[in-house]
Amino acid sequence: MSDFVPQMSQAMLNRRTFLYTSAAAAGAVMLGSCSSGTPSGSKETKAPTGGSTAKGSETKPLSKPAKFNEAPMLADMVKSGDLPPIEERLPENPYVIPHKWAQPGKFGGQALLISKPGTGGPVDGSVKEFMYGYSLLRYLNDGLDIGPGLVESWESNDDASEWTLHFRKGLKWSDGEPWTTADIMFWWDDMVINEDHSDVPPDEARSGKGTLAKFTAPDDTTLVLTFDAPTPLTADRLAMWVNGTVGNGPKWMAPRHYAEQFHPKYNKDVAKDWAEQGKEFELKVDWSRNPDCPTMTGWKLKTLNEGRSVVYDRNPYYYVVMPNGDQLPYLDQLNFSMVQDPEVGKLQAQQGKVDYIQGQFSDIGLADISTMKNAESTSQLDVILWDGGSGTSSMFFFNYDHKDENFRELIREPKFRQALSLGVNRTEIQKALYFNTGELTTGTLSPKAIEYLVNDEGKTVYKQWRDSFVEHDVEGAKALLDEIGVVDKDGDGFREFPDGSKLTVRLDFPADTDDEHKSKNQYLVADWKEIGIKATQNPVAPEAFGDQWNAGELSAHSAWEVGDGPNHLVYPQWLVPLEPSRWAPLEGQMYNVRGTPDEKKQLNVDPFDRTPPRMEPDPDGPIQKLWDLYDQTKVEPDEMSRHQLVWEMVKIHATDGPFFMGVVANTPRVILAKKDLGNVPRKENLALGGFANPWIHPTPAVYDPETYFWQKPEEHEI
């Protein structure tokens, strides 16, 4: 069977190459006209419906509107006495939408959306990526800038060891109860610090030394975070994620007035059976699963039919308005249908049964553009392309801490990894899977990262990493393998370990991974055969993958991408091993326990037998160097000095890497939006053309879908 698999893979590869290349001819014609929604042959740039061709977002807060306007359904509730006037529902200074492309819209109607079934819970995380209402601060201009959110203004002391956050006065939960800093202190004291709960301290609550901040709330709208060391990235990290619920970032707050009744500290009846009630508490304070839980998002949960649908209604107390005073959201309702079969979702889109699809959360990709364009007259969907911002597209990386000593020694030899990178024909993969979009890359963090855009030196450092081992050089790859003694000793056409034992590169991946990654793996198998390396694909049960990887039992990971940004330090786990899920799991786990009692335990035990498995880095090796540089960045208050430290880490990747390998960077994401859905930005409206892939730069939340509106709301009534 082992001899048959590569032959079958090659046959599948040849057929897939033909099919994709044929499709690329049609798809490439479509790509050029999709991002603006401009009809083929048109010379006019089509702006977002009801919008403008303006680019980017204002970086300074906009002035408070002179008056406020509200949805007719809310105005009726005010007249009937069921709702306070809008002036009493909004904070003293609402958040005013700063996006230059967003224009005044119309109130009313619902949007029909689709999502994947929930993973790790009844609601898929993608549903919550539409709502940025819990963010203390907000990313603007594709992460280049940070603006206010719930926090109206903020400052730090000179060494960034103390941060003072001033929240908007008069904020209210969706049930009309006042929001105060007591809601943050409840989360911190009674859910994070209290070990009976599952919440853990977020990164932004730790100092540069890794110790927890001290939280104090001098009054209802002021929060002070005091650290034992400079913590200059606090503002950046407060803008990450959408926050507020399970997954998608930390909660950062909970409605104390509602949650106390379910907490044993405040309700003694609950305390009698906390082992069982604790699970119930987590549900009760999750606004994405419990319709009764108050929220700070633009829409509040109405109904959840697990595995089938989730519906959100407008929040009458949402604290965000348009510059003309319109209280958001414009849409009355978001109605998500959960689709099990990706092909069913595509068919629904073609038939016009879906109003909006956010590409990175669906199975609609570049290969579907031609089909969607052909169905445009029926679907009434514009095909829009935003930049994804990936640094790799589908990637590959070895387990640097592999349990087998012989294999681990080879994996840690840079020339072995460099040879395999040179052996990849990225141009063919770019053509077949990505329709000639993006830029060829060895594999980096996102090319949109601030460190690469700040000046010419940053641009040069990025290109050095991107191009370090990107060339398809079969003879160069063979020469490197010969140099380290990885040669064909038994004459079977495949190279062996230096000691003569059989060598097979196993491409491990979770069995439920997307076809994109499996297709890319087929190319790797074929390309590496050309340089004498035998490779096979190995699906692993998804529930077992993480534990096996962390223990060094898997050889390689081949089903992820690197999309992180907007700077290297807010989420640096690809740049430097800090935890076990990436390219050096045992060393990452060792960093993860630094400063804890576990750091000094089991040092006389084999690293793979420790609990959890963990390993010290070579004191003279690249990981120790990366750790040392990263530790400096955590306490460096000067931004340019931090950039320079990041560049030094990048140079280690360019010389001692690749520690992970990509194919192409910054491939587009497909967005589908009904033609009469206004304020959906096009690529030319966005500061960097979009930054859709990273969850820490939550998309579309950063572009405020609450501004989306129907030109004719009456045609989309609930």
Side-chain angles (χ1 to χ4, degrees):
M1 178 63 75
S2 60
D3 292 334
F4 178 68
V5 171
Q7 296 173 15
M8 177 176 284
S9 297
Q10 185 62 50
M12 293 172 64
L13 177 60
N14 291 339
R15 181 173 184 273
R16 184 176 291 273
T17 301
F18 172 77
L19 292 174
Y20 269 111
T21 304
S22 300
V29 174
M30 300 292 185
L31 284 171
S33 63
C34 287
S35 64
S36 65
T38 307
S40 179
S42 173
K43 295 181 180 180
E44 181 181 357
T45 299
K46 181 178 179 182
T49 305
S52 72
T53 56
K55 189 182 186 73
S57 306
E58 301 289 352
T59 56
K60 294 183 179 179
L62 301 185
S63 300
K64 176 182 177 179
K67 65 183 182 99
F68 299 113
N69 314 300
E70 61 190 330
M73 64 183 297
L74 299 184
D76 290 343
M77 294 174 69
V78 172
K79 289 180 182 178
S80 66
D82 295 325
L83 198 65
I86 186 172
E87 292 79 8
E88 296 178 19
R89 303 197 311 268
L90 289 170
E92 186 176 297
N93 288 306
Y95 177 64
V96 183
I97 291 292
H99 310 312
K100 297 176 184 178
W101 68 80
Q103 299 296 308
K106 298 179 181 180
F107 292 105
Q110 68 171 332
L112 302 176
L113 307 102
I114 58 175
S115 83
K116 297 180 179 181
T119 53
V123 182
D124 189 71
S126 62
V127 172
K128 292 172 277 189
E129 290 297 294
F130 283 75
M131 305 179 198
Y132 212 14
Y134 276 84
S135 286
L136 279 64
L137 304 177
R138 296 183 175 212
Y139 281 132
L140 297 172
N141 294 317
D142 290 334
L144 292 177
D145 299 297
I146 297 172
L150 286 167
V151 170
E152 185 174 4
S153 64
W154 67 98
E155 69 267 0
S156 70
N157 60 359
D158 290 341
D159 71 350
S161 63
E162 183 172 279
W163 291 76
T164 303
L165 311 176
H166 304 283
F167 289 83
R168 300 177 189 278
K169 295 180 180 179
L171 288 165
K172 291 181 172 61
W173 291 94
S174 59
D175 61 356
E177 290 295 316
W179 182 100
T180 73
T181 49
D183 297 305
I184 290 182
M185 296 305 297
F186 175 83
W187 164 76
W188 182 252
D189 290 335
D190 297 324
M191 297 173 63
V192 176
I193 302 302
N194 186 333
E195 294 183 357
D196 289 334
H197 295 272
S198 59
D199 283 51
V200 296
D203 288 344
E204 55 268 36
R206 293 186 181 276
S207 75
K209 293 181 179 179
T211 51
L212 294 183
K214 178 183 177 183
F215 278 53
T216 54
D219 56 51
D220 285 350
T221 58
T222 306
L223 183 73
V224 179
L225 305 178
T226 305
F227 301 92
D228 65 355
T231 312
L233 292 169
T234 298
D236 299 74
R237 287 178 169 151
L238 290 177
M240 295 194 307
W241 312 107
V242 290
N243 297 336
T245 183
V246 177
N248 303 72
K251 293 189 180 74
W252 257 104
M253 63 199 70
R256 180 171 185 162
H257 68 279
Y258 174 79
E260 282 182 345
Q261 63 183 308
F262 309 110
H263 196 288
K265 179 178 176 180
Y266 306 95
N267 185 341
K268 300 307 179 184
D269 291 334
V270 172
K272 296 174 183 176
D273 188 18
W274 181 243
E276 186 62 33
Q277 294 294 334
K279 299 175 184 177
E280 185 70 11
F281 176 82
E282 298 296 333
L283 170 63
K284 292 293 187 182
V285 299
D286 185 350
W287 58 265
S288 73
R289 295 185 290 165
N290 175 18
D292 294 331
C293 181
T295 183
M296 297 300 291
T297 54
W299 292 279
K300 57 189 178 70
L301 182 64
K302 180 182 180 181
T303 59
L304 171 61
N305 189 344
E306 188 166 343
R308 300 186 64 181
S309 65
V310 56
V311 178
Y312 293 91
D313 279 345
R314 68 165 62 252
N315 172 6
Y317 294 90
Y318 191 46
Y319 61 93
V320 181
V321 301
M322 292 289 286
N324 73 333
D326 289 349
Q327 185 194 23
L328 297 174
Y330 280 125
L331 298 174
D332 291 333
Q333 188 177 92
L334 299 183
N335 193 326
F336 290 87
S337 295
M338 300 179 189
V339 178
Q340 299 280 348
D341 185 345
E343 296 306 314
V344 171
K346 294 177 184 181
L347 182 61
Q348 289 179 353
Q350 293 172 57
Q351 294 173 340
K353 297 179 180 179
V354 183
D355 296 326
Y356 182 91
I357 293 178
Q358 185 67 33
Q360 71 270 30
F361 304 133
S362 76
D363 291 285
I364 294 177
L366 298 177
D368 300 300
I369 288 178
S370 179
T371 300
M372 293 301 165
K373 291 294 286 185
N374 289 335
E376 191 172 358
S377 61
T378 300
S379 71
Q380 289 298 298
L381 290 168
D382 272 337
V383 179
I384 305 166
L385 299 180
W386 293 345
D387 282 358
S390 168
T392 59
S393 65
S394 181
M395 66 185 301
F396 161 84
F397 55 99
F398 279 111
N399 193 323
Y400 199 79
D401 299 329
H402 197 281
K403 197 168 188 176
D404 180 84
E405 185 176 357
N406 197 29
F407 202 4
R408 183 170 70 251
E409 183 178 350
L410 184 60
I411 289 171
R412 291 188 175 186
E413 169 52 64
K415 291 179 180 179
F416 177 68
R417 289 177 273 112
Q418 292 163 8
L420 267 61
S421 184
L422 294 175
V424 177
N425 189 336
R426 290 174 170 85
T427 301
E428 287 299 313
I429 303 176
Q430 180 188 38
K431 181 191 303 182
L433 301 187
Y434 302 106
F435 298 87
N436 284 325
T437 62
E439 59 184 39
L440 297 181
T441 182
T442 302
T444 70
L445 269 73
S446 175
K448 295 180 181 291
I450 293 170
E451 291 90 346
Y452 301 144
L453 305 176
V454 65
N455 59 22
D456 288 341
E457 185 176 358
K459 295 174 183 176
T460 298
V461 169
Y462 167 68
K463 291 178 181 177
Q464 288 174 346
W465 191 5
R466 180 194 67 187
D467 300 339
S468 53
F469 302 100
V470 73
E471 183 182 1
H472 183 217
D473 183 359
V474 172
E475 295 307 314
K478 290 179 178 178
L480 284 174
L481 293 171
D482 290 343
E483 184 179 339
I484 60 176
V486 178
V487 298
D488 180 10
K489 296 186 177 182
D490 61 8
D492 67 349
F494 291 108
R495 297 171 183 265
E496 280 76 46
F497 281 103
D499 66 2
S501 57
K502 289 289 185 180
L503 169 62
T504 298
V505 172
R506 196 179 66 202
L507 296 166
D508 303 311
F509 59 89
D512 59 353
T513 196
D514 295 339
D515 286 343
E516 173 191 350
H517 303 295
K518 298 174 186 176
S519 300
K520 175 264 301 174
N521 288 349
Q522 290 178 4
Y523 278 91
L524 297 186
V525 170
D527 288 346
W528 289 340
K529 181 179 180 181
E530 190 176 1
I531 63 173
I533 294 295
K534 183 176 182 179
T536 62
Q537 295 204 57
N538 179 47
V540 178
E543 61 274 12
F545 193 96
D547 289 341
Q548 291 183 35
W549 180 265
N550 296 354
E553 295 170 359
L554 298 180
S555 301
H557 199 317
S558 60
W560 273 357
E561 71 166 18
V562 174
D564 296 324
N567 71 59
H568 285 53
L569 297 176
V570 292
Y571 204 67
Q573 288 87 333
W574 288 111
L575 190 66
V576 52
L578 305 177
E579 46 77 57
S581 68
R582 290 165 174 81
W583 52 272
L586 274 78
E587 290 166 89
Q589 183 61 41
M590 180 58 80
Y591 190 95
N592 204 28
V593 302
R594 288 200 324 177
T596 73
D598 286 342
E599 181 180 12
K600 302 301 181 182
K601 293 179 180 178
Q602 299 183 312
L603 297 182
N604 60 341
V605 177
D606 184 286
F608 296 94
D609 294 330
R610 295 171 181 171
T611 306
R614 56 194 186 277
M615 178 187 297
E616 301 84 349
D618 178 348
D620 298 317
I623 291 180
Q624 185 63 56
K625 294 175 184 177
L626 290 169
W627 280 9
D628 292 343
L629 289 165
Y630 176 64
D631 286 344
Q632 293 178 58
T633 69
K634 292 192 297 182
V635 296
E636 175 53 65
D638 181 70
E639 184 177 20
M640 184 53 66
S641 296
R642 292 199 303 274
H643 292 337
Q644 291 168 340
L645 290 167
V646 167
W647 294 337
E648 291 304 309
M649 287 191 275
V650 167
K651 290 174 184 177
I652 292 174
H653 279 258
T655 56
D656 292 31
F659 298 108
F660 56 85
M661 302 178 205
V663 179
V664 291
N666 201 30
T667 51
R669 282 294 184 183
V670 177
I671 314 300
L672 300 177
K674 280 288 175 66
K675 294 179 180 298
D676 60 338
L677 187 62
N679 280 338
V680 180
R682 271 53 177 176
K683 178 175 178 178
E684 58 266 27
N685 296 124
L686 304 177
L688 298 178
F691 197 2
N693 285 13
W695 288 71
I696 59 173
H697 180 262
T699 306
V702 288
Y703 307 134
D704 292 288
E706 294 87 355
T707 66
Y708 295 178
F709 70 94
W710 292 116
Q711 290 284 7
K712 297 180 179 179
E714 65 275 8
E715 296 181 0
H716 303 272
E717 291 183 352
I718 300 171

